[in-house]
Amino acid sequence: MAEIKENYDLTPRVAPNLDRHLVFPILEFLQERQLYPDEQILKFKIELLNKTNMVDYAMDIHKSLYHTEDAPQDMVERRAEVVARLKSLEEAAAPLVTFLLNPNAVQELRADKQYNLQMLKERYQIGPDQIEALYQYAKFQFECGNYTGAADYLYQYRTLCSNLERSLSALWGKLASEILMQNWDIALEELNRLKEIIDSKSFASPLNQVQNRIWLMHWGLYIFFNHDNGRTQIIDLFNQDKYLNAIQTSAPHLLRYLATAFIVNKRRRPQLKEFIKVIQQEHYSYKDPIIEFLACVFVNYDFDGAQKKMKECEEVIVNDPFLGKRVEDGNFSTVPLRDEFLENARLFIFETYCRIHQRIDMGVLAEKLNLNYEEAEKWIVNLIRTSKLDAKIDSESGTVIMEPTQPNVHEQLINHTKALSGRTYKLVTQLLEHTQGQAAR
């Protein structure tokens, strides 16, 4: 376990790209998996909480850490300050909050923001100061850990806000709130909305835009491995040129999650070939068992190495906060993802091994698949029945006989044409974006 902590725990790389509130679920995971001493985790929690308004939570952790019933005086004073500030913000936002809680009044709002601002000013004496107060109140609610209230008020604020920068900040807060409430469908909608803004907005510098993309990908990890369609969504996002470039230059550790998604997502198998090229480029600059597994299978054809890496991959998945699954009884179970991963990993080994060997000894294959002889035979029979592999098992000799088929000339021509069309489309898209960027200047 010490090796996993030292080499494979990505928390030190991931946490700086998250809002501090989003780090708490990671610390909870690490604590319940007992990957680090409780004392160390509790100290990290207090350090994070000191920069929020969750003072009661900080007090509870302090008491647990130091085995006392008394909270430090500075925490007591800090709590009084938070309560007073919350009351002040609540009073400042009260006119607009009262309006938003009135269904009949809310019906007067339209899609036109300028109309709404004028109407609120004339009929309800609500102006820019009250709208700004709503934002500050929502932000304070978030810092207090009231994510439901924060999400509601931030949504309402964005319908009235005409400041693009402040509206973007509110959207980040809304996304974080939905993630923390585990509202995965809504969170995915907010993620896609934020992506559209990041990709179309004019930033002060290209580096700022890249940083926003990196933040978005890190925050999205919560969604991608919890949403029903998340493993497809992560490939759609991370595998885009602009986002993949950001990963390669500034966040190569995210390749772990993209690689995992490729392995468990059979529908995106055609895109795997291009991803293997990325692995070849990054293989010496970033080490990870899941990345190294793919390199063993598809780059080096080292099937013994791949079999060994599978065990490391299983350990990594079980102990990764995003790949690990938590069930209601408080225990951690990664059975769905872990089993999917191992099943598809074996399939990768089998398919690749069979492509370069016409006759395969069943005992050797069982060893490479990390199965006993009977399990391997049953697994291969089922695979042959359910796939397009042209193979048969010779029970007498205990071998699998492959009859590889090569695509005919017509199929090869179609494949080359598809590839050429894809590269042409990418080139035209890049030229159009460059032209539009020049015109905007």
Side-chain angles (χ1 to χ4, degrees), residues 329-351:
D329 65 1
N331 296 319
F332 284 88
S333 171
T334 55
V335 172
L337 181 59
R338 181 184 64 199
D339 283 2
E340 278 186 74
F341 183 94
L342 295 178
E343 177 70 13
N344 283 282
R346 289 191 185 101
L347 182 59
F348 280 166
I349 293 175
F350 178 75
E351 289 180 340

Side-chain angles (χ1 to χ4, degrees), residues 108-119 159-160:
E108 297 182 49
L109 294 174
R110 299 180 184 177
D112 185 345
K113 284 188 179 182
Q114 292 304 317
Y115 167 84
N116 293 336
L117 294 175
Q118 186 174 351
M119 181 272 292
T159 64
L160 301 172

Side-chain angles (χ1 to χ4, degrees), residues 150-160 170 174 190:
D152 290 342
Y153 292 136
L154 288 171
Y155 169 78
Q156 298 291 355
Y157 171 79
R158 291 192 72 245
T159 64
L160 301 172
K174 177 73 158 53
E190 302 295 4

Side-chain angles (χ1 to χ4, degrees), residues 79 92 130 132 177 200 223 325 327:
R79 187 181 188 282
Q130 286 73 33
E132 173 63 18
S177 298
S200 60
I223 304 168
K325 296 291 182 182
V327 292

Side-chain angles (χ1 to χ4, degrees), residues 210-269:
V210 169
Q211 184 60 64
N212 273 262
R213 287 184 175 131
I214 290 172
W215 288 336
L216 189 73
M217 288 187 284
H218 280 87
W219 292 33
L221 292 174
Y222 287 100
I223 304 168
F224 297 137
F225 291 100
N226 284 286
H227 193 278
D228 291 340
N229 197 35
R231 298 171 196 177
T232 297
Q233 295 284 340
I234 188 174
I235 295 175
D236 289 343
L237 178 63
F238 284 28
N239 211 39
Q240 292 181 31
D241 286 345
K242 294 175 181 177
Y243 287 83
L244 192 55
N245 288 338
I247 291 174
Q248 290 180 269
T249 56
S250 304
H253 54 276
L254 291 178
L255 291 172
R256 169 189 290 184
Y257 304 103
L258 182 54
T260 301
F262 268 120
I263 291 172
V264 301
N265 195 327
K266 296 179 181 179
R267 290 180 296 174
R268 295 308 173 96
R269 196 64 56 82

